[in-house]
């Protein structure tokens, strides 16, 4: 912008508290995303020709940091939560498979029904939901919602079709 006032207005547009929780990533921690809320006022600490140094007051919205990229495991294997806190996951099963069971860390998630090659079953352990082609399917699900513990978590995929487990590592 042509003036400092215009630049301040642009910055404040991004920081509107009415926007609620927003993602913040620091250059020295590019793999982590902090969920913050802007609080207080923009304060100028120093001003000189061609620059202004200022403070932006933030508060953690959730006392956790998430990985900036999602991790994925396809099929059976080890899902490694590289954070320091247990994290929820999203399990996607695409058929064909009948009555699939997926085990994460010894907890069996079982769905009763047939999934064809054009169907998708999604189990979200953060939202405690199970959907079949986008429709609530909790009535056919055993209501188990395991989280990935810190470190290695052994996953046994469904006996047919394709199973994907997706998660964001978390840190306190």
């Amino acid at each position: 912008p042509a003036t400092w006032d215009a630049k301040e207005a642009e910055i404040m547009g991004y920081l509107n508290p009415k926007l609620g929780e927003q993602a913040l990533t620091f250059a020295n921690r590019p793999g982590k995303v902090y969920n913050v809320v802007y609080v207080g006022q923009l304060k100028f600490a120093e001003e000189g020709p061609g620059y202004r140094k200022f403070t932006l007051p933030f508060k953690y919205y959730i006392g956790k940091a998430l990985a900036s990229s999602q991790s994925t495991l396809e099929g059976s294997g080890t899902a490694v939560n590289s954070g320091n806190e247990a994290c929820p996951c999203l399990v996607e099963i695409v058929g064909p498979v009948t009555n699939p069971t997926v085990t994460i860390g010894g907890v069996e998630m079982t769905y009763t029904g047939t999934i064809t090659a054009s169907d998708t079953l999604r189990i979200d352990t953060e939202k405690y939901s199970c959907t079949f082609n986008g429709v609530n399917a909790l009535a056919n699900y055993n209501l188990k919602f395991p989280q990935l513990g810190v470190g290695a978590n052994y996953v046994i995929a469904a006996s047919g079709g394709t199973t994907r487990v997706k998660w964001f590592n978390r840190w306190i």
Side-chain angles (χ1 to χ4, degrees):
T3 67
W4 281 112
D5 290 339
K7 187 64 174 176
E8 289 170 28
E10 178 185 346
I11 292 169
M12 294 311 296
Y14 297 124
L15 302 176
N16 184 343
K18 292 179 182 177
L19 296 174
E21 172 187 354
Q22 296 198 42
L24 175 67
T25 302
F26 294 99
N28 64 341
R29 294 185 177 188
K32 294 183 180 180
V33 178
Y34 298 86
N35 295 311
V36 298
V37 174
Y38 172 71
V39 295
Q41 293 181 322
L42 182 69
K43 295 184 182 184
F44 291 95
E46 192 177 318
E47 191 172 333
Y51 77 94
R52 283 189 178 176
K53 184 176 180 180
F54 54 89
T55 302
L56 297 172
F58 290 107
K59 283 190 179 179
Y60 257 137
Y61 185 73
I62 300 173
K64 300 174 182 142
L66 302 177
S68 58
S69 60
Q70 189 176 56
S71 299
T72 302
L73 171 68
E74 186 169 318
S76 295
T78 304
V80 178
N81 174 3
S82 299
N84 66 4
E85 181 178 69
C87 63
C89 58
L90 176 66
V91 179
E92 294 179 336
I93 303 169
V94 177
V97 63
T98 300
N99 300 331
T101 295
V102 175
T103 304
I104 296 179
V107 178
E108 288 187 353
M109 300 179 293
T110 303
Y111 176 80
T112 303
T114 300
I115 303 170
T116 68
S118 61
D119 295 324
T120 302
L121 179 72
R122 284 190 177 90
I123 303 164
D124 188 328
T125 69
E126 182 170 33
K127 296 177 181 174
Y128 299 98
S129 68
C130 175
T131 59
F132 181 79
N133 294 333
V135 177
N136 185 339
L138 284 172
N140 294 3
Y141 182 62
N142 71 344
L143 303 179
K144 302 288 184 177
F145 298 97
Q147 294 200 350
L148 296 176
V150 175
N153 297 265
Y154 192 65
V155 175
I156 301 171
S159 60
T162 302
T163 301
R164 284 185 195 86
V165 179
K166 300 176 181 181
W167 70 95
F168 287 92
N169 298 318
R170 288 187 178 190
W171 294 266
I172 294 179

